[in-house]
Amino acid sequence: ETWAIPLPAMPLENGSIRGAIVDAQSRLNVNALGASASATNVDATRIARLLLARGENAGLLDAIGDWIDADGQTRSNGAEDAYYAALPTPALAADAPVVRLAELGAVRGVDPVRLAALAPFLGALPNAPVNVNTAPPEVLAALVDGLNSATLAELVRSRADKPFTTIAEFRARLPAGATLASDLGITVRSDYFEVTVEALQGTTQGRARALLRRMAGSLPAIRGTLPSSGAPR
C-alpha cells in the first residue's frame, strides 16, 4: 500500500522534514495479556516464545499481565498493589491496558534496556490482531510452530513474492513441518499505524509521533499521541 513506501527527507531552509508510517499491528500486542477470553492462552504462548527467543524470562508475562488486568489477584510471577506500594517511591498497579509500550518500564522486572530490546516486536494497542504480512521474522517465529531458520526465511520470501490475502492462505503456504496452532489474534490487514514526523532546523531537531486508526470511508482517527522531543544536535 502507498503508506508503506518510504519517502526521502524534504529540504527546508536551513533544515529538512521527513515522515514515516509503520504498521502498529506488525507486533505482538501486550494488552492481550490482560484479557480473560480464550485468546489469552494463545497470545501468552506467542509472547512467551518471543521472550525466550530473545533471552528473556517468560515469567515477565505474569508481571505484565498483573499490570494490565483489572483484578487485584497476583499471578505466580506477577505483582499487584502490595508490591508497588512497598517500593521506595510507592505506586499502584495500573490495572488497565497500556497506551504506550514505555509504560511497562514501571512493571516489576522490566528495565529500560530490556524494554528497548523488545520494542521492535511488542506493541500496545486496543484489541488488534497481528498482521502476518508485516510482522518481522522474529514475530512470525512466535506465531508459527515448527519454524527453523531456513523455513522462516522461506516463509518471509514467499510473503515478499505474494502477500497473504487470507489466514487460510497463510496456513496453506506454511513451509513443510510448520503449523499454526490457532487463527486467533492474527490477520492479513491492518487498521492501526504509527506515524512519525521529524524536523531538523539548524542545530535543533524535533520529533512527533501519533497512533492512527484507519476508518472506512473517513479520515483516520487519532488514537493517541506518543512522546515528542526537541533537542539540539
Side-chain angles (χ1 to χ4, degrees):
E1 292 183 273
T2 305
W3 65 264
I5 301 174
L7 298 175
M10 182 186 308
L12 300 173
E13 183 178 355
N14 196 30
S16 63
I17 186 169
R18 64 177 179 146
I21 301 178
V22 174
D23 184 1
Q25 286 179 237
S26 63
R27 308 159 187 157
L28 294 169
N29 185 13
V30 295
N31 282 324
L33 297 177
S36 58
S38 59
T40 303
N41 290 336
V42 174
D43 293 315
T45 297
R46 291 166 176 168
I47 296 177
R49 183 179 294 162
L50 174 73
L51 292 177
L52 291 174
R54 308 305 298 172
E56 296 291 346
N57 187 339
L60 281 178
L61 293 180
D62 284 346
I64 295 172
D66 276 342
W67 184 263
I68 294 170
D69 66 28
D71 63 52
Q73 299 178 357
T74 304
R75 306 185 190 194
S76 298
N77 297 296
E80 286 286 358
D81 287 351
Y83 170 83
Y84 295 105
L87 293 175
T89 302
L92 297 175
D95 289 340
V98 294
V99 177
R100 299 181 295 112
L101 193 67
E103 294 175 36
L104 297 184
V107 173
R108 177 184 182 181
V110 179
D111 58 66
V113 173
R114 176 174 289 170
L115 194 57
L118 294 173
F121 317 113
L122 297 178
L125 294 174
N127 185 23
V130 180
N131 188 336
V132 295
N133 280 315
T134 57
E138 293 85 350
V139 172
L140 286 177
L143 297 174
V144 179
D145 297 313
L147 286 174
N148 55 40
S149 58
T151 53
L152 177 59
E154 178 186 341
L155 182 60
V156 172
R157 283 194 301 269
S158 173
R159 179 180 70 178
D161 293 338
K162 182 181 182 297
F164 308 109
T165 57
T166 65
I167 294 303
E169 181 186 349
F170 174 66
R171 184 185 288 275
R173 287 168 54 189
L174 290 175
T179 59
L180 185 64
S182 173
D183 292 353
L184 292 173
I186 57 176
T187 185
V188 294
R189 70 180 305 277
S190 294
D191 292 318
Y192 288 94
F193 302 89
E194 186 178 296
V195 178
T196 303
V197 177
E198 294 182 342
L200 173 65
Q201 189 167 39
T203 60
T204 301
Q205 183 181 43
R207 179 184 296 111
R209 292 189 295 155
L211 179 66
L212 304 184
R213 182 183 182 187
R214 176 160 53 186
M215 310 289 286
S218 64
L219 293 174
I222 299 177
R223 298 290 301 184
T225 55
L226 304 173
S228 60
S229 64
R233 286 163 56 94

